[in-house]
Amino acid sequence: MLLKLTGGRIFDPAHDQNDVVRDIYIRDGRIVEKPTDGRVDEEIDVRGKVIMAGAIDMHTHIGGGKVNIARTMLPEDHAQAVYERTELLRSGTGHAAPSTLTTGYRYAEMGYTAGFEPAVLPINARQAHMEMHDTPIIDKGGYVMLGSDDFLLRMMAANSDQEAINNYVAWTINHAQAVGLKVVNPGGISAFKFNQRKLDLDEKNDFYGVTPRDILHRLSTAVKEIGVPHPLHVHGCNLGVPGNMQTTLDTIQGAEGLPMHLTHIQFHSYGTEGDFKFSSGAAEIAEAINKHKNITVDVGQILFGQTVTASGDNMRQFAGAPHAHPNKWVCMDIECEAGCGVVPFKYKDQSYVNALQWMIGLETFLMVDDPWRIFLTTDHPNGAPFTSYPHLIKLLMDKSFRNDMLSTLHPEAQKATHLASLDREYSLYEIAIMTRAGAAKLVGLADRGHLGIGAAADITVYTDNSDREKMFEKPDYVFKDGEMVVRQGQVIKITWGTTHVVKPEYDVSIEKPLQEYFDKFHTLKMSNFKISNDEIVDDGRGSLTIQPLHKGGRL
Amino acid sequence: MTENSTATVWHEVASPFCGIASDDLTIQVSGNNIKVLENGDAVTRPGFETPISDLQPRIQGKEVTLDQAVSHIADLLINSKQPLIAGLGTDLNGARSAMALADKSGATIDSFYSPAAFRNILVLQDTGYMTTTLTEVRNRVDLLLVVGTDVESTFPRFFERMIWNKESMFGQDIESREVIYLGKKPSGDASTSPKGKKAQVIGCDNADLPEVVSVLRALLKGKPVQAEAVAGVAVSELQTLADRLMAAKYSVVTWSAGQLDFDHAEATIQNVCELIKEINATTRSNGLPLGGKEGDTTVNAVASWQSGYPMRTTFNRRFPDYDPFLNDGRRILAEGESDVVIWVSSFNTTVTPPKTSATTIVLGRSGMQFETEPEVYIPVGVPGIDHEGRTFRTDSVVSVPLRKLRDSGLPSVFEVLSAVEQAL
Ligand SMILES: [Zn+2]
């Protein structure tokens, strides 16, 4: 079966194709060369349509313990967004914390074909994969979380050599079935268990004497040395604290040129100026990002309305709990490894702080020069649900729309931003970089995010529309692995995406101290901790895609 | 795994029969016979060792093939005005298939263990909580407060594994750990330290816990309490407890909602959870709800991610519709609001369907005995014995893989319910 998409306007930044009219041929789920005999089985006329690879959300909380706590905790969230069963689709619910089936359908309907869960606790990875397994159509994967786990902190306190830490990181990525490594409030989640309430970049964990800076250095070095393509994914210290921009600038400096991805940078870009002692640090942060080519960021844009914040950072979530709306929240310490905090929250446009957060996110988007190093996220659902992406794209592409919105916000906040004077409007090509080519490159997906020969045929077809929100919320067609899964914004076929992983090599000698550690201190055996490949395949509809390591990966 | 001519021995086997899901069991299998060789206890031994008796499905007591049973169930569902899927002792994939079938057939879904589970879930949905997990307890607890629960009767290895372990990661002197019971006193000596230090008991009837816990919370907040005693407990004793909770570095407050069997126990659990939050203003403290055996945690987790809601959800309007009171399975059966019930109980032969006027279909563990023969009975395999599976622990964070230990030929709940769904 050979399918031809005829005459579309191709936006394929991985191949420098910016609005190039060409045909695409698809066979067996892949993009292929034009057949030599010219024979096609089916042709779809897409002349004049905008064609991009399927979009990739490189940071979205779609699976795992804290997301499921959010779901269970918030029946009122679901009652607002109820989806009936159809002949094809399972029923579901949820606005900020949608059910897994609904999550897959909504992503596909917006032209997204992959989403990556950024906070997979090793001990909870099994659950994260179960939930992602029940998320239809899109591909998925997870970044496994270390940095407050006692095994690493014990190694660091004992001054273990980098090689041993590399082994441990690679072992964890393998057996949690992950595609990258995340660190959340480095060492801070552990510190909270020792009753520390904050942890600055150079502040020591009371028990281990280890600082966040040390942890970042060790883990980012490990990721590079074992050849994992996705740079260390960093949720930094002091999330949400006024003045944390200095911590962020120090973190960028402290990376010492090693690749590092700073996630939801908006929440880490706050100054302390003005009457409210809360100001935008976006300009300084953007300048630092522009200067340090080893740094990538995603924004974590907030948008107004009800949502829920779900994070591994229980130290900061506990501090934020008094702001819970509605007034209920959960914090957990987890298995000498991590933690989590779930706090529902409503962003209000007439709140000075929330309005400024909105502005800081947009300022960051507009002041970071290189779209290959900044990514479009709301840190779903922390800043807003992922379903608001089309609206966010319009804010980026349409200055007058943006400034109209701006003029309705808290008046004091408007005075505290230069946003209105920022003229930049993102182009379709830049959107394609941020949400496709750049994201695939960042996550390390060799065969996704582009439209070259051999790529997986994850393709989204839009009708060009100057109202970018309308355009991006309802593509004409979405193809997943060559199959049409969405037509006119409606799911027409259910497929089950693959799980992307990397398999860095490690020396099996690491299992000796690990075995001892599990036996002595844990309540689970090491053998039962490991997630087998079969568990990902599961009932048969799951699959594992092993992405290539960077050259230079070694052990 | 090591083998000899007669029997197979499995190591590091996880138990789905207890919510702490100990995974250090050694199990010997010969044919269909199973023996727990090491680390068994009063809960896991019968769990693993209950023999297989029947292998064949029955309709109205007559043996039929699995296919016949499945198509009969499908017919019953097609003609049902309001089906109920209940019991639900099953594993991950059993829960998935039950949710898919509920969605397709417009059924209501609720678990046998919901009356206990919902005492906690209602608190989560109203005010939330701070909790911890078993490995944290094992390494960090310095003061364990047990509220209204005889832990060892339902979690026989809790103290051995979580409190009186040999060594803590943080160099704690294990013997210095304190155990205090508030409410009922322990039935045995599991809570006694290795050197013989007995747990302190601040005794009262469980029915008096609402009052006693309220006073404890008031004292923790520094509010003046006029009375000298509450429900027979000296306020001074509660003041000492409050002081110790505030002085502890990592206290853990545990309860088993299944044993807090009095009216509006959820309000008392909520008070416990709120006082834990309040202690955290200055030091660390966490709750540890104990429960979750036989798929209890698993079915609530799967229901939440697939529908947005835990148990007690109905699909009769084609979308998930949650009501923790109206969709109480026991209430539905007692009121005669359901005409067909599918009762799933793959772990426990004693968890049988209640007396009901509804046409009853049972997917039960082999060996189940009935007062009234159900319309359909399918003996199913036990997850972790007859087929592979996964189950969640009480903390709802850790899930363990369950292994296939023998080849009995019994179908899984997943296989049966998926076949029914296909046949609809
Ligand atoms: Zn996040």
Side-chain angles (χ1 to χ4, degrees):
Chain A
M1 165 78 189
L2 192 103
L3 172 67
K4 179 185 180 190
L5 305 181
T6 307
R9 297 164 53 196
I10 308 294
F11 293 80
D12 184 16
H15 299 98
D16 299 316
Q17 292 193 331
N18 182 0
D19 206 354
V20 174
V21 175
R22 71 171 167 90
D23 304 331
I24 291 179
Y25 299 89
I26 302 167
R27 193 203 313 263
D28 299 330
R30 298 269 151 184
I31 295 173
V32 295
E33 301 273 7
K34 178 180 178 175
T36 44
D37 62 2
R39 268 189 49 192
V40 296
D41 300 296
E42 196 189 336
E43 182 176 1
I44 300 175
D45 183 353
V46 291
R47 279 173 299 178
K49 307 280 184 196
V50 171
I51 317 275
M52 298 183 185
I56 296 165
D57 194 344
M58 46 65 65
H59 186 116
T60 173
H61 298 275
I62 54 172
K66 61 191 175 306
V67 185
N68 218 31
I69 291 169
R71 293 189 189 102
T72 315
M73 185 165 73
L74 293 168
E76 60 273 55
D77 171 73
H78 315 330
Q80 306 300 315
V82 167
Y83 303 98
E84 273 191 33
R85 181 187 177 84
T86 68
E87 275 298 299
L88 185 68
L89 308 183
R90 291 273 301 271
S91 66
T93 61
H95 166 69
S99 51
T100 52
L101 295 133
T102 300
T103 299
Y105 305 149
R106 291 294 91 78
Y107 261 119
E109 285 168 0
M110 298 192 317
Y112 275 75
T113 52
F116 291 86
E117 164 58 54
V120 175
L121 321 186
I123 198 70
N124 187 245
R126 182 167 278 121
Q127 180 181 0
H129 287 298
M130 290 171 190
E131 292 184 29
M132 290 193 281
H133 183 82
D134 284 353
T135 305
I137 304 177
I138 60 172
D139 287 355
K140 42 254 166 178
Y143 314 137
V144 69
M145 227 171 98
L146 292 177
S148 275
D149 56 305
D150 286 290
F151 191 81
L152 176 77
L153 295 173
R154 287 160 65 89
M155 284 176 105
M156 288 182 59
N159 262 319
S160 291
D161 58 23
Q162 184 64 34
E163 187 94 0
I165 287 174
N166 294 356
N167 270 322
Y168 172 54
V169 168
W171 183 89
T172 305
I173 289 174
N174 270 272
H175 296 295
Q177 301 283 8
V179 74
L181 182 69
K182 168 92 174 286
V183 60
V184 171
N185 187 353
I189 303 164
S190 163
F192 185 49
K193 295 171 188 173
F194 294 106
N195 204 29
Q196 286 173 275
R197 301 303 170 115
K198 69 166 190 47
L199 199 68
D200 286 326
L201 190 60
D202 291 306
E203 196 171 346
K204 285 180 175 168
N205 178 300
D206 278 348
F207 184 80
Y208 291 107
V210 166
T211 67
R213 187 191 293 274
D214 301 337
I215 295 168
L216 289 172
H217 181 72
R218 292 290 209 142
L219 292 181
S220 56
T221 303
V223 168
K224 178 151 198 298
E225 293 190 352
I226 64 178
V228 170
H230 185 51
L232 179 65
H233 197 102
V234 177
H235 158 147
C237 317
N238 292 327
L239 178 139
V241 178
N244 63 10
M245 59 181 282
Q246 195 53 50
T247 314
T248 307
L249 293 170
D250 292 346
T251 304
I252 293 172
Q253 258 325 320
E256 293 171 358
L258 284 167
M260 194 179 277
H261 179 83
L262 302 181
T263 190
H264 40 66
I265 191 81
Q266 177 276 128
F267 290 109
H268 301 268
S269 302
Y270 304 150
T272 52
E273 284 164 27
D275 293 345
F276 294 84
K277 305 277 178 247
F278 184 76
S279 57
S280 171
E284 290 91 333
I285 299 287
E287 194 192 337
I289 297 165
N290 289 337
K291 207 165 86 192
H292 294 86
K293 310 292 181 203
N294 56 317
I295 299 294
T296 53
V297 299
D298 66 90
V299 171
Q301 178 67 35
I302 72 111
L303 295 162
F304 303 109
Q306 177 69 49
T307 193
V308 57
T309 65
S311 170
D313 191 348
N314 58 356
M315 174 191 267
R316 293 302 313 149
Q317 290 294 81
F318 179 77
H323 303 292
H325 178 96
N327 185 15
K328 51 180 165 182
W329 52 274
V330 166
C331 278
M332 284 186 83
D333 293 343
I334 296 175
E335 289 298 272
C336 293
E337 189 184 88
C340 81
V342 181
V343 183
F345 192 80
K346 188 171 186 177
Y347 293 100
K348 301 188 185 84
D349 57 3
Q350 296 312 313
S351 145
Y352 173 84
V353 169
N354 298 164
L356 203 64
Q357 288 179 301
W358 183 90
M359 296 164 191
I360 292 168
L362 292 177
E363 288 172 357
T364 309
F365 272 117
L366 299 173
M367 289 191 285
V368 169
D369 300 332
D370 181 0
W372 288 91
R373 292 197 291 117
I374 186 167
F375 301 92
L376 187 144
T377 65
T378 55
D379 191 17
H380 163 80
N382 293 307
F386 68 82
T387 42
S388 55
Y389 286 169
H391 173 81
L392 176 53
I393 290 172
K394 184 172 180 179
L395 287 168
L396 298 178
M397 295 189 72
D398 185 335
K399 184 193 169 193
S400 67
F401 175 68
R402 182 165 71 225
N403 285 344
D404 287 350
M405 287 284 299
L406 176 62
S407 66
T408 66
L409 305 183
H410 190 288
E412 291 302 313
Q414 287 186 52
K415 287 183 207 157
T417 179
H418 302 294
L419 185 58
S421 66
L422 295 175
D423 290 326
R424 183 171 174 191
E425 293 182 326
Y426 269 79
S427 67
L428 284 173
Y429 190 66
E430 287 175 316
I431 294 292
I433 294 170
M434 259 205 303
T435 58
R436 275 81 172 171
K441 185 177 166 214
L442 180 79
V443 179
L445 309 175
D447 58 345
R448 311 273 158 173
H450 67 91
L451 299 171
I453 302 303
D458 294 354
I459 302 168
T460 305
V461 178
Y462 303 97
T463 297
D464 200 353
N465 185 335
S466 60
D467 184 334
R468 298 307 188 187
E469 184 168 352
K470 288 215 161 64
M471 172 175 169
F472 280 96
E473 76 190 2
K474 202 175 171 188
D476 296 57
Y477 309 109
V478 181
F479 297 88
K480 181 75 190 77
D481 296 303
E483 295 196 79
M484 192 191 289
V485 291
V486 170
R487 190 196 294 132
Q488 303 306 331
Q490 301 279 316
V491 174
I492 57 160
K493 185 176 173 60
I494 306 302
T495 62
W496 299 91
T498 192
T499 298
H500 295 283
V501 298
V502 287
K503 294 281 169 191
E505 285 176 35
Y506 61 87
D507 188 324
V508 77
S509 64
I510 190 67
E511 291 202 345
K512 195 166 169 266
L514 274 166
Q515 179 83 56
E516 233 181 84
Y517 174 83
F518 272 89
D519 287 345
K520 240 191 215 170
F521 302 124
H522 232 289
T523 51
L524 188 73
K525 292 290 181 188
M526 187 178 80
S527 62
N528 290 322
F529 167 90
K530 295 178 178 179
I531 299 169
S532 68
N533 292 352
D534 286 349
E535 283 190 62
I536 302 296
V537 175
D538 205 322
D539 55 8
R541 65 175 195 231
S543 65
L544 209 62
T545 299
I546 301 173
Q547 292 293 342
L549 296 171
H550 267 178
K551 290 202 185 73
R554 61 161 177 85
L555 263 178
Chain B
M1 192 179 101
T2 57
E3 287 187 51
N4 60 41
S5 54
T6 56
T8 309
V9 174
W10 298 79
H11 297 281
E12 302 192 349
V13 174
S15 164
F17 302 103
C18 155
I20 66 177
S22 304
D23 69 339
D24 58 351
L25 277 67
T26 303
I27 284 183
Q28 176 183 284
V29 182
S30 22
N32 279 341
N33 294 321
I34 289 189
K35 196 166 168 43
V36 180
L37 296 183
E38 283 168 35
N39 296 326
D41 60 45
V43 171
T44 50
R45 252 182 247 110
F48 278 102
E49 295 176 358
T50 297
I52 288 179
S53 49
D54 31 24
L55 290 162
Q56 202 62 28
R58 302 196 292 263
I59 296 177
Q60 294 174 357
K62 289 195 196 70
E63 290 198 348
V64 296
T65 65
L66 183 58
D67 285 351
Q68 287 169 321
V70 163
S71 64
H72 188 53
I73 297 171
D75 285 343
L76 290 168
L77 282 179
I78 286 165
N79 294 307
S80 167
K81 288 198 184 68
Q82 185 51 63
L84 172 70
I85 304 179
L88 251 42
T90 187
D91 64 339
L92 167 71
N93 281 341
R96 281 170 164 160
S97 61
M99 287 297 291
L101 181 61
D103 194 11
K104 189 155 186 182
S105 65
T108 304
I109 192 161
D110 191 22
S111 157
F112 173 74
Y113 295 105
S114 286
F118 270 75
R119 291 178 192 132
N120 293 329
I121 290 170
L122 292 176
V123 174
L124 170 64
Q125 294 179 339
D126 193 41
T127 44
Y129 41 56
M130 292 183 80
T131 57
T132 189
T133 65
L134 299 176
T135 299
E136 296 287 2
V137 178
R138 182 177 164 100
N139 290 288
R140 292 182 191 273
V141 66
D142 54 356
L143 169 60
L144 179 75
L145 176 63
V146 183
V147 179
T149 301
D150 177 31
V151 176
E152 63 206 81
S153 64
T154 34
F155 305 90
R157 297 183 66 204
F158 175 81
F159 285 98
E160 166 214 327
R161 283 173 64 77
M162 262 60 77
I163 307 296
W164 305 127
N165 36 297
K166 285 202 179 62
E167 195 180 340
S168 139
M169 209 187 302
F170 309 108
Q172 195 186 16
D173 171 14
I174 296 295
E175 188 65 26
S176 72
R177 289 178 170 178
E178 294 184 82
V179 180
I180 303 175
Y181 280 78
L182 182 64
K184 66 172 75 151
K185 63 175 194 284
S187 58
D189 290 324
S191 59
T192 301
S193 79
K195 289 192 179 153
K197 185 177 71 184
K198 283 204 179 284
Q200 184 193 339
V201 179
I202 304 175
C204 71
D205 284 347
N206 269 6
D208 290 325
L209 279 173
E211 222 185 327
V212 174
V213 168
S214 294
V215 170
L216 176 63
R217 185 176 172 200
L219 292 168
L220 279 161
K221 286 166 90 169
K223 286 190 183 161
V225 173
Q226 303 298 337
E228 287 191 0
V230 50
V233 178
V235 168
S236 60
E237 204 172 1
L238 292 176
Q239 182 65 57
T240 307
L241 173 58
D243 294 344
R244 287 163 82 179
L245 284 165
M246 296 306 292
K249 291 200 164 74
Y250 200 94
S251 59
V252 172
V253 185
T254 191
W255 65 92
S256 177
Q259 292 190 37
L260 299 182
D261 200 5
F262 51 89
D263 277 353
H264 297 294
E266 71 276 6
T268 296
I269 294 172
Q270 182 165 44
N271 241 343
V272 168
C273 291
E274 290 300 293
L275 75 79
I276 292 167
K277 287 182 185 172
E278 287 154 10
I279 294 170
N280 277 281
T282 53
T283 184
R284 294 305 319 276
S285 180
N286 277 301
L288 182 76
L290 288 172
K293 65 174 176 178
E294 298 178 357
D296 175 12
T297 311
T298 306
V299 295
N300 279 295
V302 174
S304 280
W305 80 60
Q306 287 206 353
S307 74
Y309 303 120
M311 291 286 97
R312 299 190 168 172
T313 293
T314 186
F315 295 86
N316 63 5
R317 293 197 285 168
R318 302 181 67 81
F319 55 82
D321 200 350
Y322 168 69
D323 191 313
F325 305 102
L326 285 179
N327 298 330
D328 176 344
R330 287 181 317 173
R331 195 199 64 79
I332 288 171
L333 289 178
E335 305 280 325
E337 288 176 13
S338 174
D339 53 359
V340 173
V341 56
I342 300 182
W343 185 266
V344 178
S345 175
S346 61
F347 291 110
N348 195 328
T349 56
T350 68
V351 178
T352 53
K355 260 205 163 69
T356 166
S357 57
T359 304
T360 304
I361 297 154
V362 177
L363 275 57
R365 180 167 184 174
S366 174
M368 196 170 263
Q369 303 289 318
F370 306 99
E371 264 180 53
T372 315
E373 174 74 16
E375 173 72 15
V376 184
Y377 167 59
I378 303 177
V380 290
V382 183
I385 297 180
D386 298 300
H387 61 84
E388 289 186 346
R390 279 157 286 175
T391 194
F392 280 82
R393 261 176 18 185
T394 179
D395 47 39
S396 202
V397 170
V398 181
S399 51
V400 293
L402 302 173
R403 287 185 248 172
K404 177 176 175 169
L405 306 177
R406 69 181 172 202
D407 204 355
S408 65
L410 287 165
S412 67
V413 170
F414 174 77
E415 284 161 353
V416 175
L417 293 185
S418 300
V420 172
E421 192 202 341
Q422 288 299 311
L424 283 182

